[in-house]
Amino acid sequence: MKKILCVVGTRPEAIKMAPVILALQQQSWAQVRVLATAQHRQMLDQVLAFFDIEADIDLNMMRPNQSLTTLTGRMLLDLDEVLLAEKPDVVLVQGDTTTVMTVSLACFYHRIAIGHVEAGLRTWDRDNPFPEEINRVLTGRLAHWHFAPTESSRQNLLKEGVSDADIIVTGNTVIDALLMTAERELDLGIDLDASKRLVLVTSHRRENFGEPFAHICRAILKLATDNPDVQFLYPVHPNPNVKEVAHATLGKCANIHLCEPLDYAPFVAAMKRAYLIISDSGGVQEEAPALAKPVLVLREETERPEAVEQGVVKLVGANFENIVAEAQILLDDEAAYRAMARGVSPYGDGLAAGRIVQVLQQHFSGELAPALQPVDAGLEVGFEAEPA
Ligand code: UD1
Ligand code: UDP
């Protein structure tokens, strides 16, 4: 038996690690342990409950409005004890959060092998996204296995000198999670006007805090005011830097519905129901194209260039004029909308977790298994553009 410690800290890590945990739990050779740093509390618990995953160890890290330094420091100290007690053969981390970087550093000090899920995403700009770009660069330096979602993320790692043999292109596990979820009964649980188009909004990036986020909110308000026949749904991230401004700016507009973060299944239902998505989320940029939903990304650059290159995601920055103009085009111009509302899945085919498990199994057994063949996720699950 090999002990695999799977780490989750925030909502997106849990969504993207869940398929890996569930796949490993099916393996007779693996003893799976789940470490929740709980860098997020409520949003992490929502996801773990949805996927029926229980944390074996919970560090309960989250504090209101936590700073990056104190979060990192407190976590590092607690990890010492956990790693000494657990002695895992491998630790799996996912993505680019403070949890990922800190756990990787602690594993390095304890000489424990690290598998990095969603490796190789880069903007090559240390300040965007902040602090995630540097978190993933550091994790890339510390990891043994690099589970890259796409060929372009593989190329990024090669540029940084990572050995080709240590990089495995798996697809992104977010598509595994999305397919597992889309199979279930999806209920948004919010009363929306069935006759009106829906614009779904999310925003939480640290580099947008302050003035840029104020521009984003003003742009949403302008769009809602100019388009009373369109309804806006905005599940607000609980970070006080986001929540207070969002409620103060948008709270009184009749066709903007602000709500608490949605559980994963209702959020997938909201994406499916949406006409257009406006977001700075990494995960949403990956999921929406598979659901044939155009995304306007509230950032100047992205580490997920594939969907932009395919023309189904557009970068609009945190720029008031751009956001308003580009969203208005998609609301008014049927042809422009259709060009972006195409079902493509550049980030995965739903088999990423299986590929990760296979790599670990081969490593421990020394036996090669046949590679899982690529599948067109969009076609496989019948995701296609819904009529406007
Ligand atoms: C974190 C990640 C970011 C990821 C995002 C996903 C870092 C530095 N940032 O950003 O990469 O994209 O999660 O959402 O790792 N809060 C709650 N309840 C929760 C979660 C958060 O109240 O369940 C509030 C708390 O006041 C907390 C604050 O949000 O202190 C910030 O949480 P934190 O994890 O530090 O940063 P995020 O902005 O959520
Ligand atoms: N999500 C969710 N509920 C919400 C908003 C988002 O379940 O109210 C999901 C979304 O489908 C995606 C993930 O959370 O899988 C993205 O998380 P977030 O935007 O917080 O972080 P990022 O992906 O930017 O790191």
Side-chain angles (χ1 to χ4, degrees):
M1 277 291 235
K2 296 295 171 187
K3 195 190 255 194
I4 321 278
L5 185 67
C6 298
V7 181
V8 290
T10 63
R11 166 173 68 192
E13 287 164 77
I15 291 170
K16 292 171 171 182
M17 190 63 94
V20 180
I21 294 171
L22 297 175
L24 280 169
Q25 284 172 343
Q26 304 300 315
Q27 305 297 310
S28 55
W29 56 270
Q31 183 196 359
V32 188
R33 301 274 292 167
V34 177
L35 165 63
T37 65
Q39 171 181 337
H40 282 177
R41 186 69 278 170
Q42 303 87 340
M43 296 206 297
L44 178 71
D45 294 345
Q46 284 178 350
V47 178
L48 294 179
F50 174 69
F51 285 102
D52 207 11
I53 292 170
E54 262 181 55
D56 299 293
I57 309 142
D58 190 322
L59 300 182
N60 199 23
M61 279 289 133
M62 198 193 85
R63 298 290 177 274
N65 209 5
Q66 58 208 0
S67 82
L68 297 174
T69 328
T70 52
L71 176 64
T72 306
R74 289 192 295 113
M75 202 184 295
L76 201 52
L77 290 177
D78 279 16
L79 284 166
D80 217 19
E81 212 174 292
V82 172
L83 295 178
L84 278 175
E86 288 288 316
K87 296 191 176 38
D89 294 288
V90 178
V91 170
L92 294 181
V93 293
Q94 193 291 327
D96 51 21
T97 63
T98 296
T99 289
V100 176
M101 185 274 292
T102 309
V103 169
S104 300
L105 183 60
C107 288
F108 172 67
Y109 289 156
H110 285 261
R111 314 200 83 157
I112 296 168
I114 303 158
H116 187 201
V117 179
E118 196 183 80
L121 273 62
R122 297 288 184 272
T123 58
W124 307 105
D125 173 352
R126 54 184 282 152
D127 297 317
N128 286 294
F130 174 85
E132 291 84 358
E133 176 73 3
I134 292 301
N135 283 346
R136 54 201 178 208
V137 167
L138 295 176
T139 304
R141 291 291 292 159
L142 299 168
H144 294 70
W145 291 281
H146 306 260
F147 299 112
T150 65
E151 178 55 28
S152 117
S153 44
R154 173 175 165 268
Q155 290 299 332
N156 290 339
L157 290 163
L158 290 173
K159 259 187 236 163
E160 286 181 347
V162 177
S163 160
D164 204 3
D166 298 335
I167 308 170
I168 307 95
V169 177
T170 58
N172 198 310
T173 55
V174 76
I175 303 297
D176 303 33
L178 182 65
L179 299 191
M180 287 161 70
T181 306
E183 275 172 8
R184 303 204 202 173
E185 190 72 19
L186 294 178
D187 180 14
L188 173 53
I190 294 174
D191 241 351
L192 294 173
D193 184 336
S195 68
K196 289 187 175 172
R197 290 181 295 176
L198 176 71
V199 175
L200 178 65
V201 180
T202 80
S203 181
H204 69 83
R205 298 247 76 88
R206 243 163 238 266
E207 65 274 12
N208 281 344
F209 289 175
E211 197 58 19
F213 187 59
H215 291 310
I216 291 170
C217 287
R218 283 201 302 114
I220 302 300
L221 185 61
K222 164 92 174 135
L223 283 164
T225 312
D226 291 352
N227 298 276
D229 55 333
V230 176
Q231 55 199 333
F232 290 71
L233 174 64
Y234 178 3
V236 182
H237 192 288
N239 193 316
N241 298 286
V242 172
K243 196 173 176 172
E244 285 159 21
V245 184
H247 280 272
T249 316
L250 307 173
K252 291 200 177 76
C253 183
N255 54 333
I256 300 180
H257 184 87
L258 300 180
C259 64
E260 294 291 310
L262 292 171
D263 286 359
Y264 188 50
F267 189 76
V268 172
M271 284 193 288
K272 289 188 81 172
R273 168 70 175 79
Y275 183 76
L276 165 66
I277 301 176
I278 302 178
S279 175
D280 60 16
S281 162
V284 171
Q285 286 177 64
E286 294 155 344
E287 294 161 333
L291 297 168
K293 303 300 174 176
V295 187
L296 296 179
V297 175
L298 302 164
R299 295 175 51 186
E300 304 293 342
E301 52 198 343
T302 180
E303 58 288 298
R304 295 166 171 89
E306 295 84 353
V308 178
E309 282 156 13
Q310 295 208 17
V312 296
V313 163
K314 197 176 257 184
L315 298 175
V316 291
N319 177 300
F320 175 84
E321 281 81 17
N322 269 357
I323 299 167
V324 172
E326 294 292 345
Q328 200 60 55
I329 289 171
L330 292 174
L331 290 171
D332 292 343
D333 181 341
E334 178 76 18
Y337 180 81
R338 285 281 153 228
M340 280 187 81
R342 290 180 285 112
V344 296
S345 186
Y347 300 107
D349 62 2
L351 300 179
R355 295 192 180 96
I356 292 167
V357 170
Q358 219 173 42
V359 168
L360 296 175
Q361 184 175 14
Q362 283 171 11
H363 170 77
F364 288 122
S365 68
E367 286 167 20
L368 280 179
L372 295 173
Q373 292 307 312
V375 172
D376 183 326
L379 293 178
E380 192 63 10
V381 292
F383 288 160
E384 50 193 47
E386 280 169 20

